[in-house]
Each structure stands twice: as structure tokens, then as C-alpha cells.
Amino acid sequence: NKNFYSKIKGIKIQIKGRVNNYPRTKICNIKILNIPVILTKNAGINFEQKTAYTQSGTFGIKVWIYRF
């Protein structure tokens, strides 16, 4: 839906795990625009979390999308 994308005010992506065969767990955060510090249900934030399984191990991906 074109209207959904035009209302996005911020995106945050967090990847946690063994990325690129690194021997230890790392956390990578990517922020585009702004996400409110206080995450409440009324703030208009969609959240999704998934786990990816690879040959080097597993890692988690979390995505927050802030829209008004």
C-alpha cells in the first residue's frame, strides 16, 4: 500500500548473532530517521522478530517501523 510507506517516520533494524563466521556474537544496529525512546502501543510502532539459521550458526533479526 503506497499510503503506508509515505507515513513512515523511522526504521530500526537489529541483527544479533554470528554474522560473517565471526567466532562470537555481535549486535549490529541500523537506524533510519527517528524512533521514539519510549516504545508504547500508542506510539504507532510495528515490531517483528525472526530467527535465521545459517551454516555458521543462528542469528536474530528485529525490525521496528515507526509510523504516524
Side-chain angles (χ1 to χ4, degrees):
N1 187 349
K2 195 173 189 179
N3 293 331
F4 174 77
Y5 295 112
S6 64
K7 295 180 181 181
I8 292 176
K9 293 182 84 176
I11 297 173
K12 178 181 175 184
I13 302 169
Q14 182 182 66
I15 301 170
K16 182 178 181 181
R18 294 186 58 204
V19 181
N20 293 333
N21 290 325
Y22 193 75
R24 292 189 176 172
T25 299
K26 292 174 69 176
I27 298 175
C28 302
N29 288 314
I30 301 168
K31 289 185 181 181
I32 302 170
L33 300 176
N34 294 326
I35 296 283
V37 175
I38 300 173
L39 301 176
T40 63
K41 290 185 179 182
N42 296 332
I45 295 176
N46 293 342
F47 172 76
E48 189 66 34
Q49 177 180 358
K50 295 291 178 184
T51 303
Y53 302 96
T54 65
Q55 292 177 345
S56 63
T58 61
F59 59 92
I61 301 171
K62 296 179 183 179
V63 178
W64 292 264
I65 298 177
Y66 175 49
R67 58 186 176 85
F68 61 93

